[in-house]
Amino acid sequence: SLPSVMCLLLLPGDVRVRSQVGFESERRGSHPYLYVDFRGLVLAAPSTESVSPWGCRCCRPLSFQRRLAVSPSLLCPSSRLTLCFLDDDYAGQAKCMLRKVGSWDFDIFLFDRLTNGNSLATLTAHLFNQYGLIELFQLDVIKLYRFLVLIQEDYHSHNPYHNAVHAADVTQAMYCYLQEPQLSSSLTSCDILLGILAAATHDLDHPGVNQSFLIKTNHHLASLYQNTSVLENHHWRSAVGLLRQAGLLEHLPVEDRQNLEMRLGSLILATDISRQNEYLSQFRSHLDQDDLNLQNSAHRHLVLQMALKCADICNPCRPWELSKQWSGKVTEEFFNQGDIEKKHGLEVSPLCDRQLDTVPNIQTGKMY
């Protein structure tokens, strides 16, 4: 029953302790980085604390959202978990919207309001149900609940763009691509599981600043991943950390579980915009040679990578009312980064100057 599920969700094991080294506590309703002294990060002596390469929460949490507090979703079931993720008693309008989840004009902003801010968890759970993944992979429903709450909470609501609503939007777009007849007839259940998981976690724990910012401020993540696909590596390792923390796949053989984790990483790493040409060239080569074979697992994986890349930057292809909102959100996040850079005497990154850049010139020639 739902009450018993709620009680299990509130078990102490879900209390995550976050380090506050180098960070001030967050101000509610403000951008978290406006109060961070990044010069302190640059000058800080390197930590001797060991860091798990997977970003495991039990070693040293890599979350940017450091706080010594219980997840709000786990503390306040009455306000945050009023919608039953997998049961039939959805709020009426939200349930009606899910009947059209494969529609390209799906309004994720309205859906997020109708689900009381639980759009990512609700949508992902619905897709798991729709594809029968719970039965196919013999998933523990309580562990799935826990995992969905954890990933939703690891997105930062302070970020205007890279937040849980963006992840839900990408997940819905990914579902649209997975439903394409030629692709859907070739996908295995494992392909579908990975596609949904990768979309839901592809920007997990995004700090609201880009890779170049992390590198020039000598952030520990830039050092950890040697300035290469820094954010994407962090999203992947964070996703694996939460999968292990929730124990969602722990019943699978070790070899299968590790294979799923690696393939999940391959999908998330494909969203690195700096490697765009690499994937496009590979895809175009197959198209030019007309040798793309969806019965080949490697070829299907490449198509999933391309689908996730397209889902990640599909905002301009949405109906105008949705696209316009996304444009405003992504430019606001850029400007927030520029404000931080100015505050700390750093060179302002391209497209991040609130005084010089505008929404139109940022959009010109770019998929935002």
Side-chain angles (χ1 to χ4, degrees), residues 2 13 35 77 113 134 154 175 185 219 240 242 253 295 329 340:
L2 183 64
Y35 301 94
R113 292 195 295 273
I134 297 173
D154 239 19
Y175 173 70
S185 62
H219 195 276
V240 171
L242 292 188
Q295 301 307 310
K329 291 175 181 298
I340 299 165

Side-chain angles (χ1 to χ4, degrees), residues 13 17 78 126 154-155 182 200 266 281 286 339:
V17 178
S78 59
H126 175 77
D154 239 19
Y155 280 96
Q182 191 173 354
S266 179
S281 298
H286 284 298
D339 294 344

Side-chain angles (χ1 to χ4, degrees), residues 242-285:
L242 292 188
L243 276 170
R244 294 181 177 184
Q245 180 178 337
L248 185 62
L249 304 177
E250 66 182 3
H251 62 289
L252 300 178
V254 174
E255 185 177 351
D256 292 346
R257 189 165 65 242
Q258 290 177 343
N259 179 261
L260 283 171
E261 291 174 353
M262 294 304 294
R263 291 176 65 189
L264 177 65
S266 179
L267 289 175
I268 294 176
L269 288 173
T271 62
D272 183 354
I273 201 71
S274 68
R275 298 178 62 190
Q276 185 93 311
N277 289 335
E278 173 188 336
Y279 291 98
L280 285 177
S281 298
Q282 189 178 353
F283 190 59
R284 284 173 180 156
S285 176

Side-chain angles (χ1 to χ4, degrees), residues 155 162-163 166-168 170-171 196-204 206 231-232 235-236 239 267-268 271 308 311-312:
Y155 280 96
H162 288 105
N163 52 42
H166 166 66
V170 172
T171 303
I196 294 174
L197 283 178
T201 62
H202 80 285
D203 273 332
L204 196 61
H206 197 293
L231 287 170
E232 292 73 23
H235 304 324
W236 167 32
L267 289 175
I268 294 176
T271 62
L308 182 57
D312 192 23

